[in-house]
Amino acid sequence: DILLRNIPGSLKINDDINFLLMFYGTCRIFSQTFCSAIQGNDITVKSYKVESRITSRFAHTTVKSSVVNSGPNAQSIGFNVQIPKRAFINNFTMNVNGITFVGSVKEKTVARNLYAQARARGKAAGIVRTNSQAMETFRTEVHVPPGSKVEFELHYQEMMQRKLGVYQHMLHLQPGRLVPLLQVDVYIFEPKGIKFVTASNTLGEQFADLTKISHAKEKAHIVFKPTLQQQRKCENCTESAVDGVFTVKYDVERENNAGELQVSDGHFIQFFAPSDLSPLSKNIVFVIDVSGSMWGLKMKQTVEAMKAILDDLSMDDYFSIIDFNHNVRCWSEDLVQASSLQVDEAKKYVQSIKPNGGTNINEALLRAVQMLVRASNQGLIDPRSVSMIILVSDGDPTVGEIKLSTIQKNVKRVMREEFSLFSLGIGFDVDFDFLERMAMDNRGVAQRIYANHDAAEQLKTFYSQVSSPLLRSITINFPENAVNNVTQNRFDKFFSGSELIVAGKLQPSDLTTLQSFTTAAAANMDLNIQTEADIRELDSVLGTHQHSFTGFARQMWAYITVNQLLAERSLAPTASKKRRITQRIVALALEHQFVTPLTAMLVEGHDQGRPERLIADSPRDSKHGCCSVQQLLYTNPPWLLPTVLKEYCSTTATYSIVNLPHPFDFIAVDSDPHFIMHLPKSNVDICFNIDSKPGHILNLISDPGTGVTINGQLVGSKKMKNNKIQTYFGTISIYSKTDSVQNYPTKCSSLHYAKLLLIRIRVTIVKEQHVTVTIDGKISVTVLLHSVWKKHPVQVDFLGIYMSSDNKYSTQVHGLIGQFAQEPKVKVYGVHEGADPKKKEATMEVKGNKLAVTRGWQKDYRRDKKRGSDVYCWFIHNSGKGFIDGSYTNYILPQLDSFLTQKSHFCL
């Protein structure tokens, strides 16, 4: 889940000060980690302030901090701010000992060229994209001499989205230390009035009563200001307990269903969120991925969510279910009414699904569209109803048509205007950009579902947002001679609890009022609604409110327009159209100072008359590539042989090859899955296979003494080979109890590399190559990625895991591999010719057992991932029976972070 890109390097302000600026994300690797807002040793944080001004659903947030290097030495001070992924950074300033840096947004290429002129040698910076559900992390780091004072100030803007009847504003608070002045202020101004406002946090019970809310008709002020003593984890603690999310929720008063039209600063905003309407009936085809990768928790939570969703259907709704792997199955070939009997039958069907095989998204979606078309042609669909397809998938297509652009075209070609496609991508193996493009292309939306313990709740919450359509075919118009540059004003559907927003510019005129005209189809009638607003009234009101955001309408129009253009750009059918859209986005971003995927912020200052520059790029999704650095240097553990990088990197990294005392002084699990281990005391190499099922989680290392468990979840091949589904490790979990992280990234062209230093763990990641994890300097593990041709009829991508034989575990260690940390006595004798003349046979004595073994070979992929090199070993049959304690089934666990039970439970 880690990607590095957009590496800007660092800026040397003077001989003592280096500065680097980046976006970061928190990392979902092997442990739960967080990024403190202020990082550094022997520093004093004077203040940390967050202020949000929300005016008519548009928020402008400012984060400020003042820090002093109070230590005796020069050091780096980090400033991290987690911001919502939909927000645009629009300013950043920093003052270091009187040197002020001020940000300005420029077209990305221009900014990089200007920055390159002042680029200095030193540390590198980058972007890390992760599974953070709602946040992106902005990070700066400045290296300063002792006694230096640094002031940071970041600004970002976003539009509040109404979901399930509320607007939600989230602020992540983690100062990382006690702060004399820690304060959060949220000011809300809504001209029509605030219906309710609440504030909650995940900081802990001790902060439950510290939030103060002042609420008048049109405005509210939320204050969170814990004292130094209140911030402490305990009465005498020096650590801060402020670590979590501060959330403000509110809704506005609505006089009627006509909507709310606001005019300010030469721009207008039309809000439309009617209520008290009868819901439209629905025609839904649920399309569920049941390929092998869905095995386990993903499928369990999908089934749980589907059962709740099916229970939510009304008697007026019609539905069916399609599940697919390499084949496509229909629970019912036609839509059926959502009677209690049919719903119960559907729930039984969903409960019985067993994931396996590949992923044929193309055929599944075409079958779903055919089902809706057939129902429509037969007159079974109410003209006022809403028809939708809801796709749930966790991976890219591997069977049938696998070219994403072709699938997108195929679905677009057969979809009717009255149908919508909603896409839910589970986890990070799925190409979310593809799902999003396909949904947007067919009047729907996409959402990523994070594969964790609450995935079922995420699925149910998403369905709740689309489960109650109130209107269809909505159009919001304005007098042609009064407005221009209007954002999207035609909408396919309106769902209960949401809101439609249209914005635009006023044309110069003598008009004193602006009118809007809304038409829509409800369940029992057609609506024609008219509303109007005074052109000057709101500006005069805003001028009297100290904490309102007076430029909200102008920025909100630009925010909506840029986001809509970014969506159009992703669907542009030709390169020329994409270029024209790009030009419009860049022009708007420069005018309104938004850091977007196409612009960057150049931060400039002057020291002794010299211009100094640094750069911040906006992150993009983790499937895309980006820029390169000039050199990549890193060190692998000595037992992991060097990997050739020529096909990935324009500049070749250099390695020192370590002469190993034994050519195979490590333990490996690779391919189907083959276990290979060297027992140094007996000087013998042992191999065995585990014949388990897709979805099973096998424990490799379980060591309560060190708090480490290493588990692998199996995936299956796409088809049977010799009447057998081959299994491979699709997921490796290395779990350790860790509570802090520092990130040191760099990158080389298409090859992405990162090094993360945690309290106990060092993690080295080379994208599309391998991940190496070292725990306490005593346990070293490397996971190799084996990628196969996507159209391969049988094989799937899989992982291999390699461990040093010198790993230092506690005496409590066990597991399929861990049990051999205490090496058993092994004796091999009676070597003789076998049935296969190339493979000798013998008898092995181990753990009181006499086993018939065969001399064979397995593959070591450390040096050559494609072909591997042969390793000769004694092969133990029957899934290692007699060599491992008990049966391999004793090592099957329920969760990826589970530990084994006590060794005494293993019976031979």
Side-chain angles (χ1 to χ4, degrees), residues 841-878:
E841 296 179 353
T843 299
M844 176 184 290
E845 287 187 4
V846 58
K847 297 182 178 180
N849 301 309
K850 291 185 177 181
L851 310 176
V853 294
T854 302
R855 185 68 168 172
W857 60 87
Q858 300 288 8
K859 292 290 186 181
D860 167 13
Y861 291 98
R862 293 175 301 162
R863 192 185 297 272
D864 185 343
K865 287 208 313 174
K866 291 186 177 180
R867 292 174 293 275
S869 56
D870 292 334
V871 174
Y872 288 88
C873 55
W874 288 107
F875 184 81
I876 299 171
H877 304 274
N878 300 320

Side-chain angles (χ1 to χ4, degrees), residues 83-115:
I83 67 174
K85 285 186 176 180
R86 288 181 56 85
F88 288 146
I89 290 174
N90 72 320
N91 199 6
F92 173 75
T93 61
M94 181 185 70
N95 187 291
V96 183
N97 295 333
I99 304 171
T100 300
F101 286 80
V102 180
S104 62
V105 175
K106 300 185 182 296
E107 193 275 326
K108 186 166 285 189
T109 304
V110 173
R112 286 176 178 166
N113 289 340
L114 288 171
Y115 173 67

Side-chain angles (χ1 to χ4, degrees), residues 392-595:
V392 180
S393 179
D394 78 329
D396 291 345
T398 59
V399 178
E401 180 55 65
I402 64 171
K403 189 175 181 181
L404 301 184
S405 60
T406 302
I407 296 173
Q408 186 178 339
K409 291 175 183 176
N410 290 344
V411 175
K412 175 71 172 177
R413 186 180 66 253
V414 298
M415 282 283 279
R416 291 187 176 179
E417 287 295 321
E418 63 268 27
F419 302 161
S420 295
L421 170 63
F422 296 90
S423 303
L424 299 174
I426 300 181
F428 282 80
D429 295 327
V430 66
D431 189 323
F432 185 73
D433 276 357
F434 161 65
L435 293 184
E436 191 169 46
R437 286 194 306 271
M438 199 161 52
M440 289 190 301
D441 215 10
N442 295 284
R443 297 159 297 283
V445 296
Q447 181 167 315
R448 195 188 291 278
I449 302 297
Y450 298 87
N452 54 28
H453 65 280
D454 72 339
E457 285 303 315
Q458 296 176 57
L459 287 165
K460 287 186 281 187
T461 298
F462 176 84
Y463 176 75
S464 297
Q465 294 170 18
V466 300
S467 64
S468 186
L470 300 183
L471 297 172
R472 56 189 300 272
S473 303
I474 306 103
T475 302
I476 303 176
N477 285 319
F478 306 86
E480 289 185 7
N481 61 345
V483 300
N484 57 29
N485 293 286
V486 179
T487 61
Q488 177 186 349
N489 68 332
R490 297 177 183 273
F491 304 91
D492 187 60
K493 300 173 185 67
F494 169 75
F495 296 99
S496 178
S498 66
E499 184 171 57
L500 303 180
I501 301 177
V502 181
K505 292 183 175 182
L506 294 180
Q507 291 197 42
S509 70
D510 296 329
L511 294 175
T512 58
T513 60
L514 177 66
Q515 293 180 319
S516 68
F517 308 91
T518 303
T519 61
N524 304 311
M525 68 185 82
D526 289 334
L527 300 181
N528 288 277
I529 304 170
Q530 179 177 333
T531 188
E532 67 177 27
D534 187 285
I535 289 178
R536 298 179 180 84
E537 181 181 3
L538 183 55
D539 281 335
S540 63
V541 173
L542 290 172
T544 65
H545 290 273
Q546 179 183 356
H547 297 289
S548 64
F549 178 26
T550 54
F552 85 92
R554 178 178 181 272
Q555 292 297 99
M556 193 170 188
W557 168 80
Y559 177 95
I560 297 170
T561 303
V562 168
N563 276 295
Q564 289 181 1
L565 287 172
L566 287 169
E568 287 180 30
R569 184 177 183 271
S570 70
L571 300 175
T574 64
S576 60
K577 185 172 182 179
K578 189 171 186 177
R579 281 195 298 270
R580 289 195 297 272
I581 296 173
T582 298
Q583 291 169 356
R584 293 179 62 193
I585 294 171
V586 171
L588 278 171
L590 298 185
E591 181 183 354
H592 296 268
Q593 291 294 287
F594 290 151
V595 177

Side-chain angles (χ1 to χ4, degrees), residues 51-52 66 212 244 276 545 550 569 667 706 810 830 878 881:
E51 179 185 285
S52 289
S66 178
K212 297 180 180 179
D276 300 325
H545 290 273
T550 54
R569 184 177 183 271
I667 299 169
T706 60
S810 78
N878 300 320
K881 185 176 181 180

Side-chain angles (χ1 to χ4, degrees), residues 247-265:
T247 303
V248 174
K249 295 181 180 181
Y250 76 97
D251 198 14
V252 302
E253 296 285 359
R254 292 176 176 82
E255 296 175 354
N256 51 51
N257 284 338
E260 181 181 352
L261 181 59
Q262 298 182 9
V263 182
S264 174
D265 194 22

